[in-house]
Amino acid sequence: MKYNIKISGVHYKELERHLFPGDGKEAVSIALCGRNFDQDGNNFMLVHQIINIPYEYCAIREPNKVEWSTEILSSYLEKVLNKGLAIIKIHCHPGGYEQFSDVDDDSDIELFDSIYGWTNNNLPHASMIMMPNGNLKARIVTDKLTFLNVDKISIIGDDLIFFNNNVKTFNSDSYNLRTKQAFGEGTVNILNNLRVGVIGCSGTGSPVIEQLARLGVGNLILIDPDEVEFKNLNRILNTTREDAELKRKKIDVLKKAIDKIGMETRVDVFPVNIYDDKEVINRIATCDIIFGCVDSIDGRHILNLIATFYLVSYFDIGVKLVADGMGNVSQICGSIHVLQPGGSSLRSRGVYNSEELRAAGLYRTNPESYKNLKKEGYVANVNIDSPAVISVNMFAASIAVNEFLARIHMFRYDNNAKFAITRFSNVDSYIQYEEDGESDLYLKKFVGRGEMRPLLNMPEL
């Protein structure tokens, strides 16, 4: 069993503010966490809610010790029990000591002995310490009151920060030399320990996949239900006329190409639509990062939900070419949206609205009904097939991958928060950047909620 803790950037900043108020004394917070598990033996605790223990509730607050009343937790126990949540105790070490002390051992045993008595099950809980530099160290406290290492702590915010106990190091073959020279061995090892999902493996998806594979991402999850067609050959990398003739699945062609590169990237493929397979939703949910390369509104919507519920960084790529039908192009533009749990959503950013989402869902589930309602003017038009050009798709894909790299290797002079949205137009000759907007109030309730019924709070699933 491998244990993972994921924290949104919003919650991480909240913890920093409370745990380090500037007085040099220890402080305490409690995190209520959603849960998730995968077929590879990973156990995820997803921070859903932070309960900051008021300083005045602490009987003792000293630079190396804190004692507090656990009565404040009693009002949250019903929620923990009913929703199967995990509890993480988080306290600070103002002096920067990066290990659990003997005092921490005694405190954790006392607290979690009570918690296991309250919850009456053996699902694991955890304890974590934060240092002044923002570093985190965590351990599982089992129902036997023993301690186990947490393998990975992930911060999913404007920056993507990973604390790994069991790091798989990239080998030193010469094909990796140039990436090391540009980003350093630490970043290369981060890449090699990431699981990245790409949903949609056509015009923008295939160049994203090509870049991620050659950067040395350790595990790629590729999702696309479609076969290679002749019309795809002008924009899907590594496809051939034979692939179209034999109607090979796009993901199988791309997996074969990655395997032939020989950079040891594990590739898992799923030739399905997200809405049709709960296993695929679970696989996306266990990713560190996902790239959405889909055209559909409801596809974008469910990816935004997954990223929120399971604390995944989501990069959405959209490209649009407007042709006049007479051989001319009136607009070539695109946008790359970087979304983090607890921030704004594609819907709140105006990428689509609720009516368009309803229409897209109807188009997917009942095309005939959609056709009739569209004819009568009751639903929005979502069946739009726009032209595609490989150079524009690759331009957008490169921007998205570089945004991803900027968040794991902070090479910019400016804060990554300023680059939540990138918009470009090759006709108007601009690239512009925007910060994140107001939080999506609906999604904010489900940050880190993890597994629940119905899945993603969507009755149709």
Side-chain angles (χ1 to χ4, degrees), residues 6 27 39 75 131 178 180 208 246 263 273 280 299 303 354:
K6 300 179 96 174
Q39 64 187 31
S75 60
M131 276 58 75
R178 299 307 184 199
K180 280 186 178 180
V208 165
L246 297 178
M263 290 183 68
N273 186 294
V280 166
L303 291 178
S354 297

Side-chain angles (χ1 to χ4, degrees), residues 47-151:
V47 173
H48 172 56
Q49 180 182 353
I50 298 292
I51 305 163
N52 292 315
I53 307 301
Y55 308 127
E56 61 269 22
Y57 275 50
C58 301
I60 298 175
R61 281 193 70 228
E62 298 175 352
N64 297 309
K65 187 176 182 181
V66 61
E67 291 185 2
W68 54 285
S69 172
T70 59
E71 289 184 8
I72 194 172
L73 295 181
S74 59
S75 60
Y76 296 95
L77 288 179
E78 185 175 350
K79 182 177 182 179
V80 171
L81 285 168
N82 292 341
K83 297 185 177 182
L85 302 179
I87 292 176
I88 302 178
K89 184 194 100 174
I90 310 161
H91 74 289
C92 63
H93 280 179
Y97 183 60
E98 296 200 0
Q99 302 296 328
F100 289 94
S101 67
D102 292 341
V103 173
D104 294 336
D105 293 347
D106 294 339
S107 174
D108 285 351
I109 288 171
E110 181 180 359
L111 173 63
F112 288 100
D113 188 29
S114 297
I115 288 174
Y116 279 111
W118 291 331
T119 57
N120 197 30
N121 63 50
N122 63 356
L123 292 174
H125 303 281
S127 179
M128 184 157 60
I129 50 178
M130 177 179 274
M131 276 58 75
N133 61 3
N135 286 356
L136 296 170
K137 186 176 183 63
R139 64 185 181 187
I140 297 298
V141 185
T142 72
D143 60 323
K144 307 298 184 185
L145 303 180
T146 57
F147 303 126
L148 300 174
N149 282 335
V150 167
D151 297 272

Side-chain angles (χ1 to χ4, degrees), residues 241-284:
R241 175 173 289 274
E242 183 181 84
D243 296 326
E245 290 171 347
L246 297 178
K247 298 182 177 180
R248 291 177 176 136
K249 292 290 185 181
K250 295 175 182 177
I251 54 174
D252 291 334
V253 173
L254 296 175
K255 173 179 168 54
K256 181 179 179 181
I258 295 168
D259 289 343
K260 287 179 68 176
I261 294 172
M263 290 183 68
E264 301 177 9
T265 295
R266 169 184 161 186
V267 184
D268 300 317
V269 296
F270 297 88
V272 297
N273 186 294
I274 306 173
Y275 279 91
D276 299 332
D277 197 313
K278 291 183 180 180
E279 180 190 352
V280 166
I281 292 176
N282 180 261
R283 294 297 281 177
I284 299 171

Side-chain angles (χ1 to χ4, degrees), residues 16 45 64 69 145 154 164 196 203 216 334 360 418 436-437 439:
E16 282 190 310
M45 295 183 186
N64 297 309
S69 172
L145 303 180
S154 306
N164 289 297
V196 180
K418 295 183 178 181
D436 200 2
S439 296

